[in-house]
């Protein structure tokens, strides 16, 4: 179990983002991927959680396009990573409406800005990914 | 220990004023107004209430604040807050409390002024570092992704989603209290302003002020009161996640657990139900709940809605009030979902009354398809 006086699950996740990495946890008792990061494995309550860096490849599980007033349509998607966890993100470098369920995608860390720390987004993966 | 079929009944039910209330009206004003109307409905007095159940996004300590306002001292109170289905949970918890003698007359109340103060002010979103950076328009974007996945897996069409809104509007035109007063076509739904693809503004529930109250007591005491009791035949409660990124399967809600539990307690099956009151926050939700509660097979909710089955004249009346899409949706709509079902089994629905309605199922949804709670109401004939 991490010492929450020293480091939080999101804090660790964020450190990886700053290095350009998408991090997740694995419960070493059963080998299951855990996301979002936690202090205990959901379901089992095991504290045997190890941090891993994802290869960053995944598949769009679902997708929507948000129409905010006076803004370009914004993609929001749920991505199933190959390591066996799901996360919310968006797919960039492609028209929002062209993001399709089943599409293969690859992670990229968005640098964020003064208010928003770095966070993972996705782009269409090349052929064969 | 399990709850007993028809041990308690709803004896009083009322809406507060609905729509756009006067400036500076508080959510608790609406709760209190509805409470007095519900008491008048059954002939009980304020001092008879000894159990208070409430939740509201604008009133963090709802049972406490409402008890202060009404100056009552409940022996039992419960502020379970799981979104729009909180009130179905309150009914289940009130039943447990009444069965065990923890209270005798339970009030369940809700109020919201979200139209007056804005939805953002009435119901601010919690920050989630794994979702908030992507700026989903919540809750709409979560339901949009559920709809998109259902379309992908089962071939559900936007036109079929639109049929849900059109059916709701047809019912609303039979309900004098409904917010919407004009007919609606499929084409109008499809061509309305897109909110979060594939959902347009007409696929989304209304944003209005309003509230409601119901009074429950033991079946024995219910028999001596003013109106025909609406007996609680079955209840079921289930949680599957809180955030949409943690929902195991976006095409299957936990109504697939709450429904069978409620039917099991009621010793009934879907074919025994005369009308459904399904939380229609978005057009996709009645489709999911028809499937998950066992009224059609998984994936067939779209064609089922498009067949006209759920509209006036159809074989399975759904959301006869006009629903959250066309009647009223004051933020957490579950209490009003039940009020319509209660009125149907009492036979009080005038032009929209379902003939010989003895069993009505009210299903609540909360969060982003997160909490699912089912209550089955029955008339005298079901005892």
């Amino acid at each position: 179990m991490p010492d929450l006086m020293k480091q939080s699950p999101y804090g660790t996740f964020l450190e990886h983002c700053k290095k350009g990495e998408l991090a997740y946890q694995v419960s070493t008792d059963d080998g299951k991927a855990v996301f979002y990061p936690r202090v205990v494995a959901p379901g089992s309550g095991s504290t045997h959680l190890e941090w891993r860096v994802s290869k960053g490849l995944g598949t769009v599980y679902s997708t929507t396009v948000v129409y905010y007033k006076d803004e370009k349509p914004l993609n929001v998607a749920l991505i199933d990573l190959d390591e066996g966890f799901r996360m919310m993100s968006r797919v960039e470098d492609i028209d929002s409406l062209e993001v399709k369920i089943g599409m293969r995608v690859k992670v990229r860390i968005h640098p964020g800005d003064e208010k928003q720390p770095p966070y993972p987004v996705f782009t269409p993966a090349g052929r064969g990914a | 220990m399990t709850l007993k079929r028809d041990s308690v009944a709803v004896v009083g039910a009322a809406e507060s004023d609905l729509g756009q209330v006067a400036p500076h009206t508080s959510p608790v004003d609406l709760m209190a107004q509805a409470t007095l109307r519900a008491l008048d409905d059954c002939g009980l007095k304020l001092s008879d209430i000894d159990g208070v159940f409430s939740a509201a996004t604008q009133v963090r300590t709802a049972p406490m604040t409402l008890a202060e306002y009404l100056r009552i001292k409940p022996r039992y109170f419960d502020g379970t807050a799981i979104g729009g289905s909180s009130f179905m949970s309150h009914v289940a918890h009130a039943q447990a409390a009444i069965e065990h003698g923890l209270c005798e007359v339970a009030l369940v109340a809700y109020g919201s002024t979200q139209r007056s103060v804005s939805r953002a002010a009435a119901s601010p979103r919690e920050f989630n570092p794994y979702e908030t950076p992507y700026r989903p328009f919540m809750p709409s974007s979560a339901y949009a992704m559920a709809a998109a996945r259902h379309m992908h897996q089962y071939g559900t069409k936007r036109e079929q989603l639109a049929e849900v809104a059109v059916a709701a509007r047809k019912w609303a035109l039979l309900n004098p209290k409904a917010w919407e007063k004009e007919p609606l076509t499929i084409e109008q739904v499809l061509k309305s302003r897109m909110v979060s693809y594939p959902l347009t503004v007409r696929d989304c529930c209304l944003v209005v002020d309003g509230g409601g109250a119901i009074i429950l007591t033991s079946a024995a005491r219910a028999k001596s009161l003013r109106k025909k009791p609406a007996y609680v035949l079955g209840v079921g409660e289930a949680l599957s996640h809180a955030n949409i990124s943690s929902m195991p399967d976006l095409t299957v809600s936990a109504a697939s657990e709450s429904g069978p539990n409620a039917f099991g307690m009621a010793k009934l099956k879907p074919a025994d139900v005369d009308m459904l009151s399904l939380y229609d926050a978005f057009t996709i939700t009645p489709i999911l709940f028809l499937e998950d509660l066992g009224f059609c097979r998984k994936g067939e909710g779209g064609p089922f809605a498009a067949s006209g089955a759920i509209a006036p004249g159809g074989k399975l009346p759904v959301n006869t009030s006009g629903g959250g899409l066309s009647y009223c949706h004051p933020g957490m709509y579950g209490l009003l979902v039940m009020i319509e079902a209660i009125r149907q089994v009492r036979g009080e629905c005038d032009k929209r009354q379902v003939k010989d309605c003895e069993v009505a199922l009210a299903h609540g949804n909360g969060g982003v398809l997160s909490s699912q709670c089912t209550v089955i109401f029955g008339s005298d004939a079901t005892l």
Side-chain angles (χ1 to χ4, degrees):
Chain A
M1 178 108 58
D3 181 351
L4 287 172
M5 300 300 284
K6 291 180 180 153
Q7 183 66 294
S8 66
Y10 177 62
T12 304
F13 175 80
L14 201 50
E15 281 181 6
H16 282 281
C17 284
K18 286 174 182 164
K19 291 192 282 184
E21 296 169 349
L22 167 60
Y24 67 105
Q25 293 166 307
V26 167
S27 169
T28 53
D29 292 343
D30 57 13
K32 281 186 183 158
V34 172
F35 198 88
Y36 49 92
R38 290 157 160 94
V39 298
V40 296
S44 68
S46 168
T47 54
H48 300 141
L49 287 168
E50 264 181 30
W51 284 93
R52 304 268 172 88
V53 174
S54 169
K55 289 204 173 79
L57 284 170
T59 305
V60 175
Y61 173 74
S62 196
T63 179
T64 184
V65 181
V66 188
Y67 290 79
Y68 285 112
K69 199 165 177 251
D70 303 326
E71 285 186 36
K72 239 171 49 175
L74 174 71
N75 176 252
V76 176
L78 296 176
I79 311 295
D80 283 341
L81 275 296
D82 289 358
E83 290 90 353
F85 65 94
R86 180 177 298 163
M87 64 182 293
M88 182 177 284
S89 190
R90 70 166 170 267
V91 183
E92 299 188 334
D93 296 352
I94 178 175
D95 187 281
S96 290
L97 274 169
E98 292 307 313
V99 179
K100 302 292 182 199
I101 292 173
M103 181 180 274
R104 293 288 287 162
V105 290
K106 185 162 185 16
V107 79
R108 171 167 80 193
I109 303 300
H110 189 287
D113 53 37
E114 308 86 53
K115 285 183 191 163
Q116 170 63 51
Y119 59 101
V121 295
F122 288 80
T123 59
R127 279 177 190 280
Chain B
M1 188 79 65
T2 52
L3 298 174
K4 297 187 193 80
R5 186 191 198 272
D6 59 61
S7 68
V8 303
V10 172
V11 292
E15 298 128 320
S16 69
D17 289 347
L18 307 174
Q20 175 123 31
V21 296
H24 314 302
T25 302
S26 83
V28 192
D29 289 331
L30 293 169
M31 290 185 196
Q33 180 192 50
T35 300
L36 269 287
R37 287 176 182 174
L39 285 168
D40 186 52
D41 193 43
C42 59
L44 289 169
K45 299 186 302 295
L46 193 57
S47 57
D48 290 319
I49 296 170
D50 61 356
V52 172
F53 299 74
S54 186
T57 59
Q58 294 166 271
V59 192
R60 276 183 293 175
T61 55
M64 186 162 87
T65 308
L66 179 58
E68 175 197 87
Y69 190 113
L70 298 172
R71 197 172 290 168
I72 53 178
K73 286 187 75 72
R75 289 197 285 147
Y76 197 85
F77 37 86
D78 177 344
T80 299
I82 49 170
S85 65
S86 299
F87 315 98
M88 283 74 171
S89 265
H90 294 163
V91 166
H93 302 177
Q95 174 168 22
I98 293 167
E99 280 190 9
H100 288 272
L102 303 175
C103 66
E104 194 179 340
V105 175
L107 164 68
V108 183
Y110 175 68
S112 165
T113 57
Q114 66 160 1
R115 187 172 187 88
S116 295
V117 304
S118 88
R119 211 177 60 90
S123 191
R125 305 300 304 180
E126 284 176 28
F127 177 77
N128 175 340
Y130 305 101
E131 290 198 355
T132 308
Y134 304 105
R135 300 178 62 223
F137 182 63
M138 288 300 192
S140 308
S141 293
Y143 291 88
M145 288 193 283
R149 187 72 202 180
H150 203 274
M151 291 164 74
H152 172 79
Q153 251 173 263
Y154 299 111
T156 306
K157 305 276 181 245
R158 282 188 60 206
E159 289 77 6
Q160 292 166 341
L161 296 173
E163 291 272 11
V164 174
V166 169
R169 185 62 60 88
K170 285 178 182 166
W171 283 116
L173 298 181
L174 302 174
N175 181 2
K177 286 185 179 161
W179 173 261
E180 297 287 358
K181 306 288 185 196
E182 300 294 325
L184 181 71
T185 66
I186 290 172
E187 194 174 39
Q188 284 173 323
V189 177
L190 297 178
K191 289 190 172 164
S192 294
R193 177 172 62 82
M194 191 59 77
V195 173
S196 193
Y197 189 87
L199 304 179
T200 71
V201 68
R202 292 274 83 87
D203 286 293
C204 302
C205 56
L206 302 169
V207 177
V208 299
D209 303 329
I214 59 175
I215 313 278
L216 293 107
T217 192
S218 65
R221 187 162 178 186
K223 290 180 183 21
S224 65
L225 297 173
R226 196 170 278 166
K227 292 276 185 72
K228 286 199 289 185
Y231 295 95
V232 176
L233 302 182
V235 294
E237 304 172 80
L239 305 174
S240 57
H241 61 280
N243 300 289
I244 197 65
S245 48
S246 292
M247 184 170 181
D249 179 343
L250 263 66
T251 67
V252 182
S253 77
S256 57
E257 299 165 40
S258 69
N261 287 343
F263 279 118
M265 177 175 154
K267 301 183 180 72
L268 294 172
K269 52 189 187 306
D272 299 318
V273 175
D274 298 308
M275 75 77 68
L276 294 172
S277 210
L278 302 177
Y279 198 123
D280 55 341
F282 299 90
T283 49
I284 184 64
T285 60
I287 288 175
L288 290 174
F289 302 149
L290 284 164
E291 296 170 352
D292 295 338
L293 295 168
F295 290 88
C296 64
R297 279 196 299 223
K298 183 47 71 184
E300 291 181 1
F304 188 84
S307 73
I310 66 173
K315 64 179 179 183
L316 184 66
V318 172
N319 294 341
T320 54
S321 64
L325 292 166
S326 279
Y327 147 66
C328 175
H329 192 281
M332 300 202 296
Y333 164 63
L335 191 50
L336 298 167
V337 171
M338 286 191 288
I339 289 173
E340 181 69 3
I342 291 158
R343 287 181 173 155
Q344 284 287 354
V345 298
R346 284 173 162 188
E348 294 178 336
C349 290
D350 298 327
K351 277 194 239 169
R352 63 183 195 280
Q353 179 63 45
V354 174
K355 196 165 169 283
D356 302 324
C357 184
E358 312 294 355
V359 178
L361 182 150
H363 181 77
N365 162 73
V368 287
L369 290 165
S370 317
S371 62
Q372 303 295 332
C373 302
T374 311
V375 180
I376 302 173
F377 295 104
S379 70
D380 281 330
T382 63
L383 300 185

